[in-house]
Amino acid sequence: MKPAIRKLALITGASAGLGAAFARAYAARGFDLALVARRLDRLEALGAELTKAHGVEAFAIQADLATIGVERLVLGAVAARGGKIDVLVNNAGFSIPQSFAAVPWERQRDFLMALVVSACGLAHGVIPGMVERGRGAIINNASLAGFAPGTPGHTLYAGAKSLAIKFSEALDAEYRAKGVRVTALCPGFTHTDFGRANGTQVAMDSSPRFFFQTAEAVVETAIHANERGRVVVVPGWHNKIAAALLRYLPDSLVKAVVRAGAEKYHLEGQAAAGIEQG
Ligand SMILES: NC(=O)c1ccc[n+]([C@@H]2O[C@H](COP(=O)([O-])OP(=O)(O)OC[C@H]3O[C@@H](n4cnc5c(N)ncnc54)[C@H](OP(=O)(O)O)[C@@H]3O)[C@@H](O)[C@H]2O)c1
């Protein structure tokens, strides 16, 4: 009897939050996993847990996605094990709550490398194989912020997330007919380690609980949307309303409201000193 063909999902930022939830969701669907992040111990622990629970193969790839050429390292590690990637989840991310020039340029550059360049590089690397096999899926984790105007602090965040949305739309236009489904996921507030990593957890905790979704709910919405061929998905009806308001209200009103709301997430000078740079 021919062995069953096993599918493989490559997930970046799988050591925490939404990435770990993507790993759990794809493992529950029977996918083998390639888990990417810097914290190897967390990736290995999650992999072992999911192998035990679902009988899937999971392997960890320790990589800093802010490194030039990291996509070659990551895809090379998968290829060395004979893996063919059926699903790519570009999820890894963080944000920088200070004003643009208040942190070293290298940190801003790392942001662009990790959230934009390596995500595009991974997609560039996996698409030819997906086209050849006539099937594949890419989920780019963007954000509701991708629809919003720029705010003080998190200077590059809205632009990077907007790029993730437009990039997904363009890839869909290019590759849907060749069997590749591409989805931009645009979550609002989600319970993860995001605020702890960038020093805005206190501000996040002061926002109404009602605005927050669980990582599991966001990920299920994303995977269903991708399976149905939806190109842009906003999880949660409160976020859908927010996205519609961002689109249809007058620009000046949107800017005023978004900036006022973003103020408490803008950390400056001493207030931002000592936050985890990760
Ligand atoms: N939480 C929210 O409210 C929210 C809302 C909208 C969009 N998002 C987006 O969701 C994605 C996941 O964030 P999250 O909320 O799950 O945050 P999280 O819990 O802090 O997880 C972030 C993940 O990204 C990884 N990562 C960060 N920098 C990296 C780098 N240089 N190289 C490799 N991996 C890196 C981290 O792993 P290591 O530290 O181990 O490397 C971690 O696994 C992000 O793209 C974020 O923008 C989040």
Side-chain angles (χ1 to χ4, degrees):
M1 204 170 75
K2 262 170 78 176
I5 295 172
R6 300 178 68 92
K7 290 189 175 178
L8 174 66
L10 173 76
I11 300 163
T12 70
S15 61
L18 283 156
F22 270 112
R24 290 198 166 89
Y26 276 112
R29 286 162 170 79
F31 279 70
D32 291 334
L33 303 167
L35 306 174
V36 181
R38 292 165 299 185
R39 286 172 291 178
L40 186 62
D41 53 339
R42 282 180 167 234
L43 297 178
E44 287 179 341
L46 179 63
E49 173 201 320
L50 296 177
T51 296
K52 195 169 168 205
H54 303 288
V56 298
E57 273 181 31
F59 62 99
I61 303 171
Q62 185 176 35
D64 182 347
L65 293 167
T67 313
I68 294 173
V70 68
E71 59 278 356
R72 281 198 300 278
L73 180 151
V74 170
L75 297 177
V78 176
R81 300 178 66 111
K84 293 190 181 0
I85 296 162
D86 297 286
V87 173
L88 165 66
V89 183
N90 275 320
N91 162 80
F94 62 96
S95 77
I96 302 173
Q98 296 98 326
S99 294
F100 189 58
V103 296
W105 162 242
E106 288 72 18
R107 179 86 181 124
Q108 302 287 1
R109 188 183 59 196
D110 284 355
F111 173 89
L112 291 172
M113 291 298 298
L115 275 84
V116 179
V117 178
S118 69
C120 294
L122 286 170
H124 191 269
V126 300
I127 286 171
M130 291 180 173
V131 168
E132 197 183 308
R133 294 187 293 280
R135 64 183 161 80
I138 298 175
I139 298 178
N140 292 315
N141 196 350
S143 170
L144 204 50
F147 303 117
T151 57
H154 311 274
T155 325
L156 295 168
Y157 192 78
K161 295 306 189 177
S162 179
L163 184 143
I165 296 169
K166 305 276 190 217
F167 177 51
S168 302
E169 290 171 342
L171 287 183
D172 172 72
E174 291 169 350
Y175 296 106
R176 177 182 286 249
K178 294 175 178 152
V180 183
R181 300 187 309 267
V182 184
T183 300
L185 167 65
C186 304
F189 288 123
T190 311
H191 290 296
T192 67
D193 290 347
F194 194 78
R196 269 187 292 282
N198 71 13
T200 61
Q201 190 61 43
V202 172
M204 282 182 109
D205 286 344
S206 71
S207 298
R209 297 288 88 191
F210 163 79
F211 287 140
F212 284 76
Q213 287 188 285
T214 63
E216 290 70 28
V218 170
V219 161
E220 283 305 321
T221 303
I223 295 176
H224 282 133
N226 181 263
E227 286 168 350
R228 291 199 310 274
R230 287 192 51 198
V231 185
V232 179
V233 64
V234 178
W237 66 266
H238 59 297
N239 291 325
K240 288 184 184 23
I241 292 172
L245 293 175
L246 286 168
R247 179 175 297 200
Y248 295 116
L249 287 179
D251 262 11
S252 54
L253 180 59
V254 167
K255 276 188 185 137
V257 171
V258 170
R259 283 190 185 165
E263 218 161 75
K264 66 179 176 178
Y265 299 99
H266 180 202
L267 307 186
E268 275 295 11
Q270 293 310 308
I275 66 167
E276 186 188 328
Q277 297 287 294

